[in-house]
Amino acid sequence: MADLTAPSPVLREEVLRCLRAFAWDAFGPLPGAAPPPRLDGKLPVPLTDLLRVAEYEGVTEAVAAGLLRRLGDQAGAAAMLLEGPRRLARAKARAYRAELADLGRILSGAGVVAVALKGAAMLAEAEAETPPAWRDMIDLDLLVAPDALAPAVKALQAEGWTGDVAAFSPSTDYHFPALFPPGDAPATTELHLRLGWRKGGPLAPEGLIARAGPSAIAGLRTPSTADRIAHLVLHAQISDRRFARGTARLRDGLDWRMLTARADAPDTARIAAVLRGAGAQAGQGAEAFAALQALIWDAPCADAAW
């Protein structure tokens, strides 16, 4: 059975090969990187171990899709075994997006400007018929201005959302307690007042909201690509303490790969410079994260010193 915290080198490399194959198709080729190879011969690790590590890392659908691309005409039984997890991922993505559309309708009706964050931003910018199924998530994060929090909560409560409202401490908490949707909607909602414990800095909410643009969901906005990358690094490396622990999660790597492939994505040096405004560790975390992504995606690293 696979060790989820420290998979064998062979298993780890197979997971990465599948991710690279998925990302090549989904986000486009990387400059200077070779296209991912097809799988020649039998998969060198048990399929169940591959999927267990993928689930642990939050990349099940991406690994499954990448493996099928690598197998090509050899897919056979693997395609049938992977159909269940892939069908579930697509159903969840559609349900998440439907819930997000409800949130946009309710909040805009209350006059609240809400900015979708992280996985919610990916759903908000996607077409309704085919929302991205590869982005694993458990809640929907929305950023609102402090003076919009009370009307936002009131509007959601009127539509059946519930939560431990009394647990909120406006002097210390940076997001409202999780709100549970009515019926069988799949995700809780977190209304953020800022992106982390730190107040101010390069991702202060006022500036992020002002820079946000419209989305495909009425009533919701999405941050600029530069803000989304900076938030990803801060959340993955600093808030989750992965930089301090010397760890990373592959789901965060997929987010990085998707965002940095965009035409308006800033280079990593600029990202690091911006994040130094949030402290020296944030800047170092950005550089380390960029270097790690170059290894994960088998891409040239911009700065060998990293």
Side-chain angles (χ1 to χ4, degrees):
M1 185 175 292
D3 181 348
L4 300 183
T5 59
S8 70
V10 174
L11 178 53
R12 181 182 64 218
E13 188 57 33
E14 285 306 314
V15 172
L16 293 181
R17 287 189 181 115
C18 291
L19 285 182
R20 290 166 188 155
F22 166 80
W24 189 273
D25 285 344
F27 312 133
L30 280 171
R38 286 293 181 96
L39 183 58
D40 184 16
K42 183 181 178 182
L43 183 67
V45 296
L47 179 59
T48 51
D49 284 357
L50 193 73
L51 291 178
R52 288 182 73 245
V53 172
E55 182 180 12
Y56 178 77
E57 293 284 345
V59 292
T60 301
E61 161 62 9
V63 165
L67 178 60
L68 292 178
R69 182 197 188 281
R70 293 179 62 221
L71 286 168
D73 295 339
Q74 306 176 57
M80 291 187 289
L81 289 171
L82 294 173
E83 179 56 27
R86 300 197 69 200
R87 188 189 299 270
L88 177 61
R90 292 191 292 268
K92 287 172 63 178
R94 290 192 295 270
Y96 286 143
R97 196 183 187 285
E99 183 179 344
L100 198 58
D102 283 340
L103 290 167
R105 172 183 58 80
I106 294 165
L107 294 177
S108 63
V112 173
V113 176
V115 179
L117 304 173
K118 300 188 290 185
M122 296 181 191
L123 290 174
E125 67 190 4
E127 296 297 330
E129 295 79 9
T130 55
W134 57 265
R135 183 38 162 89
D136 180 53
M137 64 189 78
I138 58 173
D139 54 27
L140 298 171
D141 297 294
L142 303 176
L143 177 69
V144 299
D147 60 359
L149 179 63
V153 172
K154 182 179 179 180
L156 291 176
Q157 287 178 318
E159 294 280 350
W161 266 258
T162 59
D164 189 0
V165 176
F168 179 60
S169 174
S171 62
T172 58
D173 294 345
Y174 66 88
H175 67 74
F176 199 75
L179 292 170
F180 294 82
D184 57 357
T188 56
T189 298
E190 284 189 355
L191 296 175
H192 285 247
L193 298 177
R194 56 185 186 276
L195 302 190
W197 297 110
R198 180 185 176 90
K199 297 180 180 180
L203 291 179
E206 301 84 3
L208 191 147
I209 292 173
R211 292 187 295 271
S215 77
I217 291 182
L220 294 182
R221 299 176 71 79
T222 55
S224 69
T225 300
D227 284 342
R228 289 170 71 177
I229 296 173
H231 183 205
L232 166 65
V233 176
L234 276 179
H235 185 268
Q237 291 290 86
I238 308 304
S239 299
D240 283 358
R241 295 184 54 78
R242 294 189 185 278
F243 177 63
R245 298 197 303 263
T247 65
R249 194 177 187 214
L250 290 180
R251 189 191 72 172
D252 297 328
L254 264 180
D255 287 359
W256 170 274
R257 176 71 172 82
M258 183 273 290
L259 290 169
T260 55
R262 299 187 170 194
D264 62 342
D267 61 37
T268 51
R270 182 179 160 204
I271 296 166
V274 168
L275 285 178
R276 288 190 190 98
Q281 190 183 57
Q284 293 167 1
E287 293 174 347
F289 195 67
L292 178 61
Q293 299 313 310
L295 293 173
I296 288 175
W297 301 110
D298 196 22
C301 191
D303 185 343
W306 295 352

